Amino acid sequence: MSVKQKVLQFGRVFRQLTWRMDQRLLLIIIAGVVGGLSGLSAVILNEMLSRVYHALKPLHAHWGSLVLPALGAGLSCLFLGYIMREGAGHGVPEVIYSVLKRGGLLRLRSSFSRLISSTLTIASGGSAGPEAPVVISGASIGSNIAKKFGLNDRQRIVIVGSGAAGAISSIFNAPVAGMIFAVEVILGDWTPISLIPIAIASVMGAEVSRLLEGNQIPFTHHAFHAGLLDITACVGLGLVAGLASVLFTRLLHGIGAKSRKMVRFDTLRAALGGTCVGLLGLFLPVVLGEGYEVVRSVIENRFEAGLLLATGATLAKILATSLTIGSGGSGGIFAPCLVIGSLGGLAYERALIFLWPGVAWAEGGLFALLGMAGVMSGTLQAPLTGIFLIVEVTGSYEVMLPLILVSAVSATLCHYMEPVSFYHKELASQGQLLRPRTDAGLLADLSVLELLEKDCVVVSEDMRLRDMISIIQQTSRNYFPVENARGDFVGLVHLDDLRPYIFNPVFYDAVVVGELVQSDIPHVSPFDDLREVLDLMDQTRSWSLPVVHRNKYLGMVSKGSILDQYRKELVVQSY
Amino acid sequence: MMNPQLLHVYRNTPFGRETLLESSYFCKSVGVDMVIYVPVSTKFLMYFENDVVQVDLDRSYLVSPETAEERARAICRSQGVEPMFFTPKDYTASTLPDIPTEFDYMCCPRSIADVSSKIGLGYIGPRVRRIVNHATFPVYIPNPVFKAWKKVAVLFGGSANAVQAVRLGVRLRDATGFPLQVFTHLGRTRRSTYERIIQENHLGEAFENWTVFEKGRFRDNLFEVPHDALVIVGAYGHGLIKQLAFGSKMEVIQRVLPNSFMIVGPRCRV
């Protein structure tokens, strides 16, 4: 046996072994491996960020802070656009799109490209976080491993979610938050078949991080006590956090859209955004970088700022992050959400003291912590992720009640003002937010071609009524598509159109079908979206429409067949 | 029924004109509808059943977009083909459109297949390999300069993909009315083995004009393939590592023959 044959045989045996293994067990094992690898990618990004940041630290003083963010964002954009040939941005919508519409297929290059580009952006002072890059990296690792094992779409989606869970779990050392993030934000699907592998991946991600970086939480635990008045004040904090989240989401998109119109070249746009961030950083250095140190100082009550400065810093961070990410820099919004939330919470506490100086309010650190959960829940519109992330990264289990309150109020307000989250906004605007088991999701999985009804008898426009009557006797259909001599679609003849003539034999040889045809009948293309087809049916009050391609009649599509397939698809997706 | 469709990625340059002429000629001869994509960016994604392939184009694909559609239409009409133009609906990212993979044929000009320095060396790039490997359609690799083909030639090596290639050859023969010729280089395999494969797959009538090379090197024997034939080859679509380790017959064929090719991959539904 030649070497080639041996290698090919080994491949075959390996595939057979994995295929024979119980599919659920295989899924769990793969999820574990993917979780571990995603965790490793998060550790690598942390290490790269730390090394590059410390290498650049001497340059951050004075004018260096103005130039560095521009340089970093520009280089990041160059790297992504010209070396990796990927679009700029943070990448989480790409993961969600792939899960919702493409069976979780992601490119291999995404497993490392964003790690490098976000290092360039963040370590140079850009206002962004490392979480989105590790999410796309983990998801891509998962997708490509799933491809190697030949998993089907649904299994692959679970593995993509596992990769995202492992990455978040590792970067924050927060396994529960990682798991909930993957399910709540990425998959939007809480079925047991996906929960178990994702939980395993999350644990593996956290374990890899603990093994390589030690079991430490990002922010030191402080015991806070929230009294009844503080809890009541949480409603107001929830509203403030919600408003900050809405402002953040709108500014992110607004700056992104405006800057794309103003500056055509990606690299120049990102560099200009970086320059603006550098300018802001000259006056308010708290806006630069990921900002974990700022969060620590706020929670530990070391951040010396009054009401105005805290409010200004909150708004400046929102602006800086919008400039960094909106202009094309690479990075995520988790860390900025934490900074915005903590500064906003501090500003809220200062406002409470200003308004009611006689009341013994809780420490500023508590409000900062609650603000973090509020902004996170509002911006992502994922309250569970916000609550569990804050609990895990701060170890503050005793403030669960106010955390839930702030997160719920903030997420509700945001949902009212911005129906979809920052991650989903772009997809929703393109009509591609197709969650499983929703109308849009189910219809997107069906196509006009697979619903084509071909049992309508096609008649020629020069056919006499006599011949038509013999056709009517043989079919149960009320519609008859009409074609001309070239075989082009002319229109439809309905049974009602024939009724005045079919009972009078005088017309049998005097009337031809072409005289009765309705040629203004709306028709659809085989490539039309089913939602558009249903809209057209509603507008025209039709139960079925002809499908026409290049003037040729292909068949009919009806509400009945759509409903039939819809139910079948619902059963498949619910299994 | 809908006619089969061929996807052509149009380049608004003289080289692009030649490949579009090739595609139009194929569509006219075989009775296939032409679907043209005029690129809106230098990259696009193709989502197959188990893989996603990013196709990177050079900037020449974006030349004079205002005249592209008009010129493409004129080129097709000169061959008697009425093209349809494809506009992407779905985008993975704002500059990354998704191109459907439900076509019946796809034309991959050599400039998609490889970097410009390798044009003419017969190199089939990794992206075309991945398209071949995952596509359910055959991949058409046209001549850099338009030349009408009047015959169909299948290179039959006995593999499952080669059997599919013969089936496609029969289909194209029936559609075009052009003669079909099958070529086999025996190598270490006996003639009887091939005959058994032909019998098992009920392909006897396709082998009426069967040329078998019992001696000589494979690449030397390729001289016998008619210059005016569309060459159909079955291919595994091996990745780079397998290609480096074991070599590639498809590579040799493309390097030696100047003809237009139709490559039939392992997932191709003929």
Side-chain angles (χ1 to χ4, degrees):
Chain A
M1 190 186 283
S2 70
V3 178
K4 177 179 175 177
Q5 284 168 327
K6 279 181 184 167
V7 172
L8 292 176
Q9 192 184 21
F10 174 77
R12 275 195 294 273
V13 170
F14 180 73
R15 261 181 235 124
Q16 277 173 0
L17 277 176
T18 52
W19 181 245
R20 280 179 190 169
M21 194 184 284
D22 178 81
Q23 288 293 295
R24 289 193 184 204
L25 180 63
L26 178 67
L27 204 61
I28 290 169
I29 293 170
I30 295 173
V33 173
V34 168
L37 290 173
S38 308
L40 187 63
S41 79
V43 171
I44 290 170
L45 177 60
N46 257 344
E47 191 62 25
M48 286 199 303
L49 271 177
S50 163
R51 282 174 190 263
V52 179
Y53 177 77
H54 284 106
L56 295 177
K57 203 170 182 182
L59 302 174
H60 271 292
H62 307 296
W63 291 102
S65 67
L66 179 66
V67 178
L68 274 179
L71 199 65
L75 280 175
S76 156
C77 210
L78 267 178
F79 173 77
L80 271 185
Y82 293 93
I83 297 177
M84 300 314 302
R85 297 185 71 88
E86 281 201 283
H90 51 91
V92 174
E94 194 176 320
V95 176
I96 298 172
Y97 172 80
S98 119
V99 163
L100 297 180
K101 193 139 189 195
R102 302 293 178 194
L105 286 171
L106 286 163
R107 290 162 292 169
L108 180 64
R109 68 185 79 177
S110 301
S111 60
F112 57 90
S113 61
R114 293 298 203 298
L115 299 184
I116 297 168
S117 64
S118 62
T119 303
L120 290 168
T121 302
I122 302 166
S124 64
S127 176
E131 308 79 19
V134 294
V135 166
I136 190 167
S137 169
S140 173
I141 290 170
S143 174
N144 284 282
I145 289 181
K147 270 191 261 176
K148 289 287 170 212
F149 280 90
L151 300 186
N152 64 33
D153 283 9
R154 295 190 71 197
Q155 291 170 322
R156 196 188 305 120
I157 285 170
V158 173
I159 297 299
V160 166
S162 303
I168 288 292
S169 162
S170 169
I171 202 145
F172 287 115
N173 189 11
V176 180
M179 183 177 84
I180 290 174
F181 169 79
V183 175
E184 196 176 31
V185 177
I186 303 289
L187 304 189
D189 187 19
W190 295 82
T191 50
I193 193 166
S194 55
L195 269 179
I196 294 166
I198 286 172
I200 299 291
S202 206
V203 169
M204 287 299 290
E207 278 305 321
V208 167
S209 155
R210 286 172 188 183
L211 191 72
L212 298 173
E213 293 191 315
N215 187 4
Q216 51 193 359
I217 51 175
F219 309 112
T220 323
H221 171 60
H222 282 263
F224 293 114
H225 173 71
L228 187 62
L229 265 179
D230 301 312
I231 292 175
T232 312
C234 283
V235 178
L237 180 56
L239 293 173
V240 169
L243 290 174
S245 307
V246 171
L247 176 67
F248 184 34
T249 307
R250 289 185 180 172
L251 211 55
L252 265 169
H253 276 279
I255 287 180
K258 280 260 188 272
S259 65
R260 274 195 291 276
K261 280 182 191 162
M262 286 164 65
V263 188
R264 201 178 141 206
F265 298 106
D266 297 348
T267 310
L268 179 64
R269 188 169 61 238
L272 283 175
T275 309
C276 295
V277 175
L279 264 174
L280 271 173
L282 271 182
F283 302 102
L284 276 169
V286 292
V287 303
L288 296 175
E290 60 185 17
Y292 284 162
E293 191 44 49
V294 177
V295 177
R296 269 184 215 111
S297 67
V298 175
I299 292 177
E300 292 165 12
N301 294 311
R302 289 188 282 110
F303 193 80
E304 302 290 337
L307 172 60
L308 284 180
L309 185 59
T311 309
T314 310
L315 295 174
K317 184 69 185 176
I318 291 176
L319 183 61
T321 309
S322 305
L323 282 166
T324 303
I325 297 174
S327 65
S330 192
I333 58 164
F334 265 59
C337 277
L338 298 181
V339 179
I340 293 163
S342 64
L343 290 170
L346 184 70
Y348 184 73
E349 187 249 4
R350 298 291 196 257
L352 287 177
I353 294 172
F354 179 74
L355 292 171
W356 295 284
V359 179
W361 298 106
E363 289 175 67
L366 171 69
F367 285 99
L369 198 119
L370 299 175
M372 283 155 61
V375 173
M376 181 73 83
S377 304
T379 309
L380 303 185
Q381 293 197 13
L384 286 179
T385 304
I387 293 165
F388 282 99
L389 183 75
I390 301 307
V391 164
E392 283 191 292
V393 297
T394 60
S396 306
Y397 291 88
E398 68 278 359
V399 290
M400 186 63 102
L401 194 67
L403 267 177
I404 294 173
L405 192 60
V406 172
S407 295
V409 172
S410 172
T412 308
L413 179 70
C414 281
H415 188 68
Y416 180 73
M417 295 178 76
E418 279 284 333
V420 285
S421 77
F422 165 69
Y423 286 144
H424 298 142
K425 195 169 179 172
E426 207 173 310
L427 294 172
S429 68
Q430 294 164 1
Q432 290 174 341
L433 189 58
L434 310 165
R435 288 295 194 198
R437 295 189 298 282
T438 59
D439 263 359
L442 289 163
L443 290 175
D445 280 352
L446 305 174
S447 72
V448 172
L449 275 177
E450 62 185 301
L451 297 169
L452 219 52
E453 297 168 6
K454 294 181 179 171
D455 55 339
C456 278
V457 181
V458 180
V459 296
S460 152
E461 66 177 345
D462 51 8
M463 183 183 274
R464 286 176 306 158
L465 187 58
R466 180 182 297 281
D467 303 323
M468 185 76 199
I469 288 170
S470 65
I471 288 174
I472 293 170
Q473 287 167 346
Q474 293 162 20
T475 174
S476 56
R477 285 282 189 169
N478 296 335
Y479 286 104
F480 301 91
V482 182
E483 288 179 348
N484 62 18
R486 289 199 308 273
D488 290 345
F489 176 72
V490 175
L492 288 181
V493 169
H494 193 266
L495 196 56
D496 290 344
D497 304 326
L498 302 171
R499 217 180 294 276
Y501 307 100
I502 51 177
F503 299 108
N504 190 345
V506 173
F507 293 116
Y508 283 11
D509 293 312
V511 174
V512 291
V513 171
E515 294 173 72
L516 306 172
V517 69
Q518 294 179 33
S519 51
D520 56 347
I521 290 281
H523 53 81
V524 296
S525 146
F527 310 110
D528 280 348
D529 195 289
L530 267 186
R531 279 178 300 173
E532 292 167 14
V533 174
L534 279 172
D535 285 346
L536 187 62
M537 284 179 174
D538 287 343
Q539 281 167 22
T540 56
R541 295 171 179 269
S542 318
W543 276 91
S544 54
L545 290 172
V547 181
V548 178
H549 177 62
R550 304 196 95 180
N551 290 335
K552 304 289 179 209
Y553 167 81
L554 298 179
M556 299 291 286
V557 59
S558 71
K559 276 187 181 172
S561 59
I562 293 175
L563 182 65
D564 198 32
Q565 281 297 323
Y566 181 98
R567 289 181 63 231
K568 284 180 188 161
E569 188 63 30
L570 186 62
V571 170
V572 170
Q573 290 196 10
S574 304
Y575 172 67
Chain B
M1 274 301 289
M2 277 173 65
N3 278 342
Q5 294 182 326
L6 175 137
L7 172 69
H8 183 98
V9 182
Y10 179 61
R11 179 160 56 154
N12 197 11
T13 63
F15 271 115
R17 178 188 61 209
E18 297 300 315
T19 50
L20 186 58
L21 281 169
E22 284 271 354
S23 288
S24 317
Y25 179 76
F26 176 84
C27 288
K28 189 187 169 194
S29 307
V30 183
V32 170
D33 285 346
M34 164 82 86
V35 179
I36 296 176
Y37 169 52
V38 179
V40 290
S41 68
T42 53
K43 46 188 180 279
F44 61 82
L45 288 183
M46 296 187 82
Y47 286 92
F48 293 101
E49 199 179 327
N50 194 35
D51 200 6
V52 50
V53 178
Q54 179 173 325
V55 178
D56 295 316
L57 308 167
D58 60 61
R59 294 207 71 83
S60 67
Y61 277 86
L62 303 183
V63 167
S64 314
E66 67 284 354
T67 59
E69 195 168 319
E70 191 187 330
R71 283 183 179 170
R73 203 182 294 278
I75 292 166
C76 290
R77 282 182 179 161
S78 73
Q79 297 271 358
V81 173
E82 189 58 45
M84 290 181 283
F85 288 87
F86 170 77
T87 309
K89 278 186 190 169
D90 298 331
Y91 283 78
T92 294
S94 57
T95 55
L96 202 50
D98 302 348
I99 304 296
T101 53
E102 291 90 28
F103 292 98
D104 302 280
Y105 302 92
M106 180 184 175
C107 173
C108 278
R110 291 166 200 225
S111 49
I112 285 184
D114 55 47
V115 290
S116 56
S117 61
K118 288 179 175 171
I119 291 175
L121 296 181
Y123 171 86
I124 298 177
R127 282 180 200 93
V128 172
R129 282 178 186 286
R130 282 174 67 190
I131 292 175
V132 167
N133 202 4
H134 293 282
T136 52
F137 47 77
V139 172
Y140 181 51
I141 300 189
N143 258 325
V145 177
F146 171 55
K147 179 181 179 183
W149 41 272
K150 299 287 179 196
K151 297 183 179 100
V152 179
V154 179
L155 302 186
F156 178 68
S159 67
N161 296 329
V163 169
Q164 290 286 75
V166 174
R167 292 209 169 102
L168 179 65
V170 171
R171 204 168 80 190
L172 295 186
R173 177 198 68 187
D174 294 346
T176 58
F178 294 154
L180 168 68
Q181 200 172 352
V182 183
F183 296 88
T184 299
H185 174 81
L186 285 186
R188 291 178 195 167
T189 315
R190 286 181 191 166
R191 188 182 178 114
S192 57
T193 310
Y194 288 105
E195 284 168 348
R196 185 173 46 78
I197 293 167
I198 293 163
Q199 205 171 14
E200 282 171 359
N201 290 284
H202 313 290
L203 292 171
E205 58 105 20
F207 283 77
E208 283 169 7
N209 191 354
W210 185 23
T211 308
V212 179
F213 304 112
E214 295 183 358
K215 292 176 186 168
R217 289 196 309 164
F218 175 68
R219 61 169 61 209
D220 296 338
N221 291 331
L222 288 176
F223 193 86
E224 300 302 321
V225 175
H227 66 94
D228 57 349
L230 169 70
V231 176
I232 305 175
V233 188
Y236 288 102
H238 285 323
L240 185 67
I241 295 170
K242 277 185 183 167
Q243 185 206 333
L244 288 173
F246 308 129
S248 163
K249 271 267 165 61
M250 187 172 78
E251 206 67 68
V252 175
I253 294 164
Q254 213 210 353
R255 197 175 295 136
V256 174
L257 288 177
N259 305 46
S260 293
F261 288 92
M262 188 63 85
I263 302 178
V264 180
R267 290 179 175 80
C268 187
R269 294 181 199 137
V270 177

